[in-house]
Amino acid sequence: MKFIDLGLDPRILEGIDAMGYENATPVQQQVMVPILEGKDIIAAAQTGTGKTAAFSIPILQLLSNQIRHSKNPRALILTPTRELAAQIGESVTTYGKYMQMRSTVVFGGVIINPQMKKLRPGVDVLVATPGRLLDLFSQNAVKFNQVEVLVLDEADRMLSLDFEQELNELLQVIPEERKTLLFSATMTSKVQNGLTPWKH
Ligand code: AMP
């Protein structure tokens, strides 16, 4: 499957082209069309398979269908580590480079104030680790009322890093009408059992 056949916004295709990608990887072939159709998905995918683009590109497309800069994020991507968060942030910037898409990355282990400041002007796509996101939410630095798509990236690692409580708290306050895209390297019983309250 070629990216050009997906009916993507030409500005996204330009971003993909700048990366030199032409053909979708297997995980991209499996999930991109359902995401573009607005479906929830659960996918087993390891790092290195192209999973970041598999969710980033359709999310940009979904957001581009309706240009509406919001104060609060329309897409929220949760991931377990700051390295992954930074990497996802770069992908979103790369594929969305020719669009007016504002994205920000927030993670724990650093002081919170600069992140609060970054969020103030508004953001379309927010990439975050769960603990820091919950802190920012508790301090009113971000609201979830406009979230249309939620990505749970590396769900198994988020659970093994003890983010379960934070995830459950976040899922209580993120609107239920959202789409949920879940990626996990392994589909352990913990991920699958843990999935139940995340479904809507
Ligand atoms: P990820 O699994 O998201 O960490 O991606 C692994 C690597 O594959 C990254 O360096 C991506 O830039 C690259 N990549 C993603 N999609 C494609 C594609 N369709 N063709 C070639 N490389 C890709």
Side-chain angles (χ1 to χ4, degrees):
M1 187 177 80
K2 291 191 185 303
F3 288 110
I4 199 143
D5 299 326
L6 283 169
L8 298 170
D9 185 303
R11 293 165 301 171
I12 301 175
L13 282 174
E14 217 175 319
I16 297 171
D17 205 41
M19 292 297 287
Y21 305 158
E22 203 179 314
N23 295 302
T25 66
V27 68
Q28 291 165 1
Q29 298 201 21
Q30 278 169 3
V31 305
M32 286 175 103
V33 171
I35 300 174
L36 288 168
E37 287 172 348
K39 297 193 173 122
D40 287 350
I41 58 136
I42 297 179
Q46 316 261 354
T47 297
T49 54
K51 72 175 164 63
T52 312
F55 59 76
S56 304
I57 292 170
I59 284 178
L60 289 171
Q61 177 67 39
L62 291 175
L63 299 190
S64 79
N65 287 344
Q66 215 189 346
I67 293 296
R68 172 162 70 77
H69 285 313
S70 56
K71 170 86 178 72
N72 291 296
R74 295 174 62 200
L76 199 53
I77 302 170
L78 298 182
T79 194
T81 68
R82 72 152 83 180
E83 290 77 16
L84 279 166
Q87 195 184 312
I88 296 167
E90 268 175 43
S91 290
V92 172
T93 308
T94 302
Y95 306 125
K97 160 160 101 176
Y98 300 103
M99 312 170 76
Q100 307 245 296
M101 204 60 77
R102 299 160 308 167
S103 59
T104 298
V105 178
V106 295
F107 45 74
V110 293
I111 53 168
I112 200 166
N113 289 46
Q115 296 179 348
M116 297 173 99
K117 216 165 159 183
K118 270 201 299 186
L119 290 169
R120 224 166 277 152
V123 63
D124 300 295
V125 181
L126 179 59
V127 186
T129 53
R132 177 52 54 100
L133 185 63
L134 200 55
D135 279 352
L136 287 161
F137 176 76
S138 318
Q139 298 191 45
N140 275 323
V142 64
K143 289 196 173 66
F144 299 133
N145 56 321
Q146 285 167 303
V147 174
E148 296 165 38
V149 188
L150 170 70
V151 178
L152 301 167
D153 178 47
E154 307 229 352
D156 50 354
R157 264 174 93 190
M158 288 204 276
L159 292 180
S160 69
L161 289 174
D162 267 348
F163 281 134
E164 194 166 358
Q165 194 182 330
E166 278 100 341
L167 282 173
N168 282 324
E169 283 181 47
L170 286 166
L171 291 164
Q172 307 272 319
V173 287
I174 299 172
E176 283 197 357
E177 311 78 63
R178 66 174 192 263
K179 314 273 175 267
T180 306
L181 317 177
L182 185 142
F183 290 81
S184 192
T186 53
M187 283 296 163
T188 58
S189 60
K190 196 170 181 196
V191 171
Q192 287 185 339
N193 295 336
L195 291 181
T196 321
W198 303 356
K199 287 188 182 161
H200 54 97

